[in-house]
Amino acid sequence: EKFEVLLVADRVELVEVNKILGKSGLNFRVIESTNPGIVPALNLGLANITSEFVARMDEDDLMMPRRLELQYQHMLRNKETSVVGGQLLLIDADDEVIGISGYRRRISKASFHVFESSPIAHPAAMFRRKAVEQIGGYRDFLPEDWDLWVRLSEYGPIENLTETVLRYRVHPNQLSREKMYAQQLGRQ
């Protein structure tokens, strides 16, 4: 299968990005987001993708070599699955492993686990584009990924592979999703 790389840029030097990606040999497009924030950038990306599946990733994380293959094959075999993730190796700024994730294998709409914590790592997600479009895309509700997973769990199961699919960079000043969610609930 052919993959297209779509980079939605809102804070990067586009000339530099084009130069780096141009050397990769990948089929890629760069779209500049003029609206600040993650939600407008995510929805802009969705509006410019035509593929059946979307694999998401952040700029500072590192994809494992077989991630796309493993997730793509899983989605083909499991037609009811709305989104699939996988396990993470947590890395620091120097690419040193500092931990591992422990995401549950399967979360269904009947499971309360989707409300305990985010059931899937957003940068490690592959989802069905049409499913996300049918539920209205991303909403400006923090955390936007957790909100998406809760709504997608109504569409079909959320699953995680047992394999490591991403090296996820942890920053010292990073605010965890759980803390952001707790803060939002507290404000409401």
Side-chain angles (χ1 to χ4, degrees), residues 4-166:
E4 174 189 26
V5 176
L6 175 65
L7 177 83
V8 179
D10 65 348
R11 298 176 314 227
V12 296
E13 178 58 48
L14 292 179
V15 173
E16 190 64 25
V17 167
N18 281 304
K19 187 169 35 168
I20 292 167
L21 286 175
K23 294 177 184 177
S24 71
L26 294 171
N27 175 23
F28 74 94
R29 288 185 297 139
V30 178
I31 299 173
E32 188 170 11
S33 177
T34 55
N35 294 327
I38 184 77
V39 172
L42 292 166
N43 284 324
L44 179 63
L46 282 174
N48 283 277
I49 289 289
T50 58
S51 63
E52 181 178 357
F53 303 108
V54 174
R56 199 195 162 282
M57 190 172 145
D58 291 331
E59 65 182 314
D60 58 346
D61 299 328
L62 304 170
M63 188 184 318
M64 299 304 277
R66 296 190 58 220
R67 174 202 169 175
L68 296 177
E69 173 191 359
L70 293 169
Q71 290 179 321
Y72 178 72
Q73 291 301 322
H74 182 86
M75 294 296 268
L76 290 179
R77 285 190 310 271
N78 299 279
K79 303 277 188 222
E80 76 287 354
T81 300
S82 61
V83 58
V84 65
Q87 304 309 313
L88 311 176
L89 286 178
L90 308 176
I91 59 173
D92 64 14
D94 299 319
D95 294 339
E96 296 296 321
V97 175
I98 58 173
I100 57 173
S101 69
Y103 286 98
R104 291 180 179 276
R105 174 84 174 90
R106 184 176 170 101
I107 307 285
S108 68
K109 70 178 179 179
S111 173
F112 67 92
H113 297 295
V114 75
F115 299 104
E116 284 184 333
S117 64
S118 185
I120 196 166
H122 197 205
M126 178 181 281
F127 52 80
R128 297 183 192 280
R129 180 181 50 84
K130 286 186 180 179
V132 173
E133 288 174 351
Q134 286 178 352
I135 64 168
Y138 288 90
R139 298 189 302 193
D140 208 3
F141 181 86
L142 288 177
E144 72 288 333
D145 54 339
W146 199 346
D147 173 62
L148 186 71
W149 308 147
V150 169
R151 291 181 296 127
L152 272 179
S153 70
E154 292 291 323
Y155 186 86
I158 295 173
E159 299 184 312
N160 283 295
L161 303 176
T162 56
E163 293 88 357
T164 300
V165 298
L166 194 76

